[in-house]
Amino acid sequence: MIEEARALRQLFLLFVTFLLADHGRETWTLCVSCSANMSTDDLSAVDGSDRPCVSERAQSVPSRVLHLRHLPVDISEQEVLALALPFGRVSKLITLRTKNQAFLEMASEEAAVTMVNYYTSATPTVRNQPIFIQYSNHRELKTDNLTNQRAQAALQAINAAAVHSGNMVAGVDGRGLVPGQSPVLRIIVENLFYPVTLEVLQQIFSKFGSVLKIITFTRNNQFQALLQFSDAVHAQHAKASLDGQNIYNSCCTLRIDFSKLSALNVKYNNDKSRDFTRADLPTGELEPTAAFGVALPHYGAAAFPPTFHQHTGLSMSGIPGSMVSPPRVSLHVAPPAIHSVLLVSNLNPESVSPHCLFILFGVYGDVQRVKILFNKKENALVQMSDGTQAQLAMSHLNGQRLHGNVIRVTLSKHPVVQLPRGGAGQEEQTLTRDFAGSALHRFKKPGSKNFNNIFPPSATLHLSNIPSSVSEDVLKDLFSSSGFTVKAFKFFQKDRKMALMQLASVEEAIEALIALHDHQLDHNQHLRVSFSKSTI
C-alpha cells in the first residue's frame, strides 16, 4: 500500500507539472525531492540541477521577482543583467540554463513594475531573439551558496562596479532606479554621410520614452545633440539600446553618453533646437543657446523636412542584440525624396570653375553636372546624384570660405541642371560641364570606404594612394610649391600609403584639396585627398 501511494503521488505531481507547463505562464519544474511537510507557499533553495521547487501557479501580481523566458542557449549572466540594470539594482539572479530561463529579483517592487511596463510595449531581444518577461508569483528568491555561483559572481561584480562609480543608488524617489545618471543624453553622430536632423533624432529616441527637448549643434567638427527625456530610466535604456548603432546603412553611427546637465533650457523652436513642451517659443536666431549659456554653432542650413518615413515592418522598440555591446546595424530610417540640385552663391567669379566645384562638392557625393550662370557668374548650380547627397554637401559647405568669399549653399528649385543647347556660345558651353561619367566619383561603389570618411572641411587633409617611392619631403614640396603652408605631416604607422597633412587654415586646405586631388604621383598612381577629423 505504501509503495502504491508513493507511485500515485508521483503521478499526480507529474500531471500537475504538465498542466502548468504552458507558454503563457511560468514554466516551473516541480521538485519531487522536496520534503512532504514543506509549505506550498515557500520557495525552496535552488538545487544542484537549477530547478526551483514550487507548487504555485504563476500569477500576474506585481512582484520584485521577474521571470525571463526564451533566452538564447548560451546567454551570459551579464546579458541577462543588462536587461534589468537600466531600471534599478538587481538583488538576486538565478539562471536555468537547461530551460532557457532566468529569475531576477529587483531591489524594489517599483523597479520591477517599471521594467515590466516598459517591456510590455517594447519587447526586448537578445541576439535578435525575443525575450518574454513577467512577474513571478514569488515575493523573493532564496539561493544557497552552492548553486548558480557564476550568476551570483556576475551580479556581485556589476553591483561592486556600480557602487565604486557612484552611479547606482537604490531607493531614491522610491523607485529603485539609477538616479546617478542624467535624463539628458549627449549624442555624437560619426560617419555622417547623410544629414541627421532634429526630427530624425526625435523619432528614433521617442521609441524609448517621452522626449522633452533637443538641441543640435556642431562641435570639434562633429555633429552633436543634447536630448532630454522625461525620466532618467528612459535615457538609460535608450543609451543601452542605441549606442553604437547606425541610423542609415553603414553610416551615421550613434555615440551616446550621459550629459552632465540635468535639464536643457531651450529658448527657440526651430530646426536646431526644440522644446516639445512649449509650442509658444519663438523661432529666434539660427544659433540657439543651451542651458550652460554657451552659444552653440549651427549645423549649416540643411535639415530634412519633418515628414520622413521608416521602412515598414521594422520594429525599433526592441533591444537589438546585447545591451552590453549592441551590434552596429542600421535603424533603417529612410531618407526623404528631395531635389538633388544645389544653388551655390557668392562665388568668386574670377577663380571659380565647374571643375573646381566638381572636386569640392565631390567630397560629399557624386556630382553629375555643374553650371555657372552666364549672366550671374557668382552663382552656380550643382547637381548631385540624389537628394541626400545634396543635403550632406549643403550641411558641410554652406558658410565655408572659397577663393576669399564665404559661399552660401541652398537647395535649388530646379530638378535638374540643363545642358546648353546646340546654339549656345562657346563661353556658355564652357560654364556648364557634365560629370556623369567621371572616374573621380568617390561613391559609385556600394560599401566603399569613402562612405566612412566624410567629415566637415578642416585644416588637416587625409592623403591616400601614395606610392611607396614617394617620400615625406616630396609630398611637402608638392603642396609648398603649389602655394600652401605645410604645418605638420605624418604617415600612417600601419599603412604608409596614407598620411595626414596639416595646413595653415581650413580655407587653404579647401583650395589644396581642389588643386591636388587626383594629382599624378607616378606613372599609374594619383593622389587622393579628403578632409580628416584628426589633428597632428
Side-chain angles (χ1 to χ4, degrees), residues 191-197 200 204 245-253 304 308-309 329-336 388:
N191 301 330
L192 190 68
F193 183 69
Y194 298 129
V196 175
T197 64
V200 172
I204 292 172
Q245 292 224 55
N246 297 325
I247 298 176
Y248 303 108
N249 285 327
S250 303
C251 64
C252 298
T253 306
F304 282 154
F308 62 96
H309 310 280
V329 296
S330 169
L331 297 175
H332 297 295
V333 178
T388 52

Side-chain angles (χ1 to χ4, degrees), residues 198-199 202 210-216 226-230 263-283 288-289 291:
L198 183 149
E199 288 80 14
Q202 195 272 340
S210 178
V211 175
L212 302 184
K213 305 171 185 178
I214 304 177
I215 296 173
T216 63
L226 295 171
L227 184 146
Q228 180 181 341
F229 277 100
S230 60
L264 298 178
N265 179 23
V266 176
K267 295 185 178 181
Y268 306 108
N269 281 342
N270 53 34
D271 61 346
K272 306 303 169 195
S273 64
R274 193 77 53 82
D275 185 337
F276 296 98
T277 68
R278 294 278 309 277
D280 59 321
L281 290 180
T283 56
T289 302

Side-chain angles (χ1 to χ4, degrees), residues 320-364:
S322 165
M323 290 174 61
V324 178
S325 105
R328 290 182 56 178
V329 296
S330 169
L331 297 175
H332 297 295
V333 178
I338 53 178
H339 284 178
S340 60
V341 178
L342 297 170
L343 172 63
V344 187
S345 57
N346 200 37
L347 293 164
N348 184 337
E350 302 297 327
S351 305
V352 72
S353 69
H355 178 78
C356 154
L357 296 176
F358 165 70
I359 295 296
L360 178 58
F361 281 75
V363 173
Y364 303 105

Side-chain angles (χ1 to χ4, degrees), residues 3-17:
E3 293 297 325
E4 292 178 356
R6 287 178 178 174
L8 287 173
R9 180 173 177 271
Q10 290 183 356
L11 286 173
F12 174 75
L13 290 175
L14 289 172
F15 176 73
V16 172
T17 302

Side-chain angles (χ1 to χ4, degrees), residues 129-191:
Q129 180 170 324
I131 306 301
F132 295 91
I133 300 177
Q134 64 190 76
Y135 297 116
S136 169
N137 57 315
H138 293 283
R139 312 305 300 174
E140 64 177 335
L141 291 178
K142 296 180 182 179
T143 59
D144 57 30
N145 294 326
L146 299 178
T147 58
N148 265 266
Q149 292 180 351
R150 188 167 66 177
Q152 305 315 311
L155 179 58
Q156 291 173 7
I158 289 178
N159 285 339
V163 171
H164 178 71
S165 64
N167 288 337
M168 190 174 289
V169 182
V172 175
D173 295 333
R175 294 182 297 171
L177 300 179
V178 188
Q181 305 291 14
S182 166
V184 180
L185 295 177
R186 182 173 69 97
I187 304 160
I188 297 176
V189 183
E190 298 179 346
N191 301 330

